[in-house]
């Protein structure tokens, strides 16, 4: 089997003029995330990712205008020219395909936090071969960044490495101005196209990293950069193409200069764990002395697993073996033991950097935790005992109890957050009682005094037992001031 040959890519710039006609066609057909879910089923994305078109073709055989548009822009299959015209798709957006026509680009509807956006991106599935300059649709990494982005209303937002423009469009909903940059001119053209399809204004600029915004300040910066660490720069959308994890290090070093005083940057990153080095310390060392940072480590992959995952992602066909060996040799030469993936958040500050290992499933939107993290850093230290803590509203206590002669005996109690990073952790009966009293009106020290009395402990003994737990609960956001 030979590697699939990348197809010729469309020119998104040439589609811009007729974007309003396509927008009108979509509106007339009732195009929306909900309508597409109803038509294609909620598993449509999984079918598309696996190249399984049959279930989707069966669901779109009725010939309605929405079905024709879905075949063109979601499935990427051929339709009859007359059908395409009847659906209102302009000639400029069509290419000959078999006995009919296909759409020049794909459209993807994304819903995040109640905001719906439509992005345009290149056609081509992994099985057809990924082009080095391919502009991809919205994938798992895109959604990871969207989930981590604070959605507070701000003035100026920068989306660095904008691709299809998805982050820029989501940010447009809560920003006065959005600047979207990318090194790939095809990506900035797609971002303009996506903006036109959403009827919004974005300032899309082409250039390397922060070059296009030299000297400019932002309230919010989001970036899903090409963070993948490896020997070659094969794909612009994916490969850092600099030595090791240097691209992410450089971004962390340079981004603070582009933030206003209380501005926040959130980016995805990979960082290396190298033999005889502390990988956590490595990423934490990227943050300068005038920056506060939060590292949310989501995964730690062995080199073999990392390389396999990324080679599968671009479906390298028969080149798999050759590329796998070259990539692993490259890691071995650099004594790489593992590659970490996570979200890095930073603000101007005073060099306080904290790393959390967060392997658990998290909420689809947890950007408010980024704000809460920096608020904790900034708030004057009152001391744990002097603060009237409040248990966050979404925290639940799960109990496992065994029946005894005296009734139910609680064997284990687990606190679980329903939102945010969905931390969970065990507490004993005393801890649970104490937390039940944390309603934001009573100081922890007063609650602890009552608890110590009922447990027959001195206040000092009770504090010694409870304070380390409370500290963790504050850090993980169970308790808020
Ligand atoms: C992983 S994609 C992210 C796309 C989109 N923001 C998302 O979240 O789905 C990375 C993007 O960074 C762009 N890029 C690659 N190298 C870059 C560089 N040196 N400077 C700016 N952008 C770059 C790529 O062209 C690609 O569009």
């Amino acid at each position: 089997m030979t590697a699939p040959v990348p197809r010729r890519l469309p020119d998104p710039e040439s589609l811009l003029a007729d974007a309003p006609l396509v927008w009108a066609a979509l509106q007339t057909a009732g195009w929306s995330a909900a309508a597409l879910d109803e038509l294609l089923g909620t598993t449509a994305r999984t079918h598309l990712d696996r190249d399984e078109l049959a279930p989707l073709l069966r669901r779109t055989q009725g010939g309605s205008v929405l079905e024709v548009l879905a075949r063109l822009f979601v499935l990427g299959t051929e339709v009859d020219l007359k059908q395409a015209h009847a659906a209102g798709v302009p000639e400029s957006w069509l290419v000959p395909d078999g006995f009919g026509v296909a759409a020049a680009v794909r459209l993807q509807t994304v819903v995040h936090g109640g905001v719906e956006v439509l992005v345009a991106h290149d056609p081509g599935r992994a099985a057809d071969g990924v082009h080095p300059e391919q502009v991809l649709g919205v994938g798992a990494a895109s959604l990871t960044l969207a989930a981590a982005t604070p959605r507070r209303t701000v003035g100026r937002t920068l989306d660095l490495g904008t691709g299809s423009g998805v982050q820029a469009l989501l940010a447009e909903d809560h920003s006065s101005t959005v600047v979207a940059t990318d090194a790939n001119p095809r990506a900035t053209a797609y971002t303009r196209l996506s903006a036109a399809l959403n009827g919004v204004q974005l300032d899309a600029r082409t250039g390397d990293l922060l070059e296009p915004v030299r000297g400019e300040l932002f309230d919010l910066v989001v970036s899903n950069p090409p963070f993948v660490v490896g020997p070659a720069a094969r794909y612009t959308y994916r490969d850092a193409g600099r030595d090791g994890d240097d691209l992410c290090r450089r971004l962390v070093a340079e981004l603070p200069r582009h933030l206003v005083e209380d501005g926040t940057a959130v980016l995805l990153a990979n960082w290396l764990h190298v033999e005889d080095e502390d990988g956590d310390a490595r990423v934490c060392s990227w943050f300068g002395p005038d920056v506060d940072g939060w590292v949310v480590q989501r995964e730690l992959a062995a080199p073999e697993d990392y390389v396999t995952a990324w080679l599968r992602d671009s479906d390298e066909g028969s080149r798999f073996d050759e590329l796998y060996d070259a990539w692993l040799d490259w890691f071995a030469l650099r004594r790489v033991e593992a590659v970490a993936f996570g979200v890095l958040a930073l603000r101007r500050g005073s060099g306080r950097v904290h790393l959390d290992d967060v392997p658990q499933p998290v909420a689809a939107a947890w950007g408010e935790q980024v704000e809460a993290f920096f608020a904790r850093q900034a708030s004057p230290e009152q001391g744990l005992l002097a603060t009237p803590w409040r248990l966050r509203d979404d925290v639940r206590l799960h109990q496992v109890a065994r029946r005894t002669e005296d009734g139910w005996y609680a064997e284990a109690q687990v606190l679980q957050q329903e939102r945010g990073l969905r931390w969970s952790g065990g507490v004993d009966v005393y801890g649970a009682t104490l937390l039940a009293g944390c309603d934001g009106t009573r100081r922890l020290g007063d609650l602890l005094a009552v608890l110590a009395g009922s447990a027959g402990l001195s206040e000092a003994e009770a504090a010694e037992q409870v304070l380390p737990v409370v500290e963790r609960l504050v850090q993980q956001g169970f308790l808020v001031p």
Side-chain angles (χ1 to χ4, degrees):
M1 189 181 142
T2 54
V5 179
R7 60 171 73 198
R8 247 189 83 230
L9 295 174
D11 171 16
E13 198 80 53
S14 68
L15 305 181
L16 196 54
D18 283 340
L21 297 178
V22 175
W23 181 82
L26 298 174
Q27 296 304 306
T28 309
W31 180 285
S32 70
L36 289 171
D37 274 354
E38 195 171 327
L39 176 66
L40 302 174
T42 48
T43 53
R45 185 57 34 204
T46 314
H47 284 310
L48 287 169
D49 289 345
R50 293 183 181 168
D51 253 342
E52 301 162 350
L53 288 189
L56 305 178
L57 284 167
R58 286 183 79 86
R59 296 184 77 124
T60 53
Q61 52 195 352
S64 74
V65 174
L66 188 62
E67 285 165 303
V68 170
L69 293 174
R71 282 191 167 199
L72 281 168
F73 292 120
V74 182
L75 279 64
T77 52
E78 155 204 344
V79 305
D80 194 66
L81 177 63
K82 277 197 199 130
Q83 283 183 311
H85 280 164
V89 182
E91 205 69 39
S92 59
W93 279 59
L94 296 169
V95 289
D97 192 343
F99 293 108
V101 288
V105 295
R106 298 290 168 270
L107 300 179
Q108 191 174 353
T109 305
V110 181
V111 183
H112 179 80
V115 177
E116 183 166 326
V117 299
L118 180 62
V119 298
H121 62 92
D122 276 327
R125 298 184 285 270
D128 301 336
V130 180
H131 193 283
E133 297 301 318
Q134 185 108 3
V135 176
L136 296 185
V138 176
S142 323
L143 297 178
T144 300
L145 177 62
T149 300
R151 299 292 172 194
R152 180 165 59 100
T153 301
V154 290
R156 282 168 59 76
T157 292
L158 168 66
D159 172 21
L160 193 157
T162 189
S164 64
V166 60
Q167 314 293 346
L169 286 169
L170 290 173
E172 196 277 336
D173 187 64
H174 56 97
S175 314
S176 323
T177 314
V178 180
V179 180
T181 66
D182 205 289
N184 180 355
R186 301 191 65 259
T188 36
Y190 265 115
T191 297
R192 282 187 205 104
L193 196 56
S194 299
L197 290 171
N198 290 272
V200 301
Q201 293 286 328
L202 296 175
D203 178 354
R205 309 179 192 171
T206 304
D208 184 42
L209 297 181
L210 289 154
E211 185 63 35
V213 292
R214 196 186 292 186
E216 292 182 46
L217 293 178
F218 296 91
D219 300 282
L220 174 67
V221 179
V222 291
S223 183
N224 172 8
F227 51 76
V228 175
V229 179
R234 288 167 60 74
Y235 301 110
T236 309
Y237 70 84
R238 186 189 80 176
D239 300 313
R242 297 179 202 219
D243 198 25
D245 45 18
D246 200 53
L247 181 130
C248 293
R249 185 199 60 75
R250 206 177 128 188
L251 278 177
V252 172
E254 291 180 11
L255 278 173
R257 279 194 285 258
H258 293 272
L259 291 175
V260 299
E261 190 61 36
D262 65 343
T264 311
V266 183
L267 66 147
L268 302 186
N270 270 165
W271 59 97
L272 299 177
H273 283 240
V274 177
E275 200 184 309
D276 297 329
E277 242 190 64
D278 179 344
D280 294 356
R282 179 190 182 92
V283 66
C284 291
S285 75
W286 290 355
F287 297 80
D290 49 358
V291 175
D292 286 341
W294 188 23
V295 178
V296 178
Q297 177 172 298
R298 297 286 290 136
E299 285 169 26
L300 190 61
E304 295 80 0
D305 298 334
Y306 182 81
V307 169
T308 301
W310 284 112
L311 289 178
R312 277 193 188 144
D313 189 66
S314 49
D315 200 2
E316 300 289 352
S318 63
R319 295 205 62 198
F320 184 98
D321 291 356
E322 173 202 341
L323 294 168
Y324 180 88
D325 275 336
W327 204 330
L328 279 182
D329 288 347
W330 189 87
F331 275 149
L333 201 67
R334 284 158 181 78
R335 299 179 296 117
V336 173
E337 289 181 325
V339 185
F341 166 76
V343 176
L344 311 184
L346 57 97
R347 247 185 211 189
R348 290 212 217 159
S350 54
R352 289 165 297 194
V353 182
H354 180 79
L355 182 143
D356 275 314
D357 192 12
V358 185
Q360 70 269 19
V362 298
W366 54 271
E368 83 280 0
Q369 294 307 309
V370 172
E371 301 279 9
F373 174 86
F374 289 115
R376 278 199 297 276
Q377 303 274 47
S379 62
E381 190 62 74
Q382 279 190 54
L384 288 179
L385 291 172
T387 305
W389 299 105
R390 182 175 63 77
L391 193 68
R392 224 171 69 189
D393 296 340
D394 63 307
V395 175
R396 300 288 176 268
L397 182 76
H398 298 272
Q399 277 190 335
V400 176
R402 175 166 52 86
R403 195 175 70 85
T404 67
E405 283 176 3
D406 301 326
W408 290 106
Y409 169 72
E411 282 186 323
Q413 309 201 86
V414 176
L415 287 173
Q416 171 77 58
Q417 296 174 350
E418 304 220 310
R419 294 200 309 265
L421 292 180
R422 290 192 176 146
W423 289 108
S424 62
V427 278
D428 62 15
V429 179
Y430 293 119
T433 309
L434 185 75
L435 290 171
C438 289
D439 61 1
T441 65
R442 288 171 286 180
R443 293 172 346 126
L444 182 70
D446 299 336
L447 291 170
L448 199 63
V450 176
L451 187 73
S454 62
L457 296 171
S458 71
E459 282 184 37
E461 285 169 332
E464 193 180 308
Q465 285 187 23
V466 165
L467 285 187
V469 180
V470 170
E471 205 165 327
R472 177 175 59 80
L473 293 172
V474 170
Q475 190 61 49
Q476 296 182 340
F478 285 92
L479 291 172
V480 291

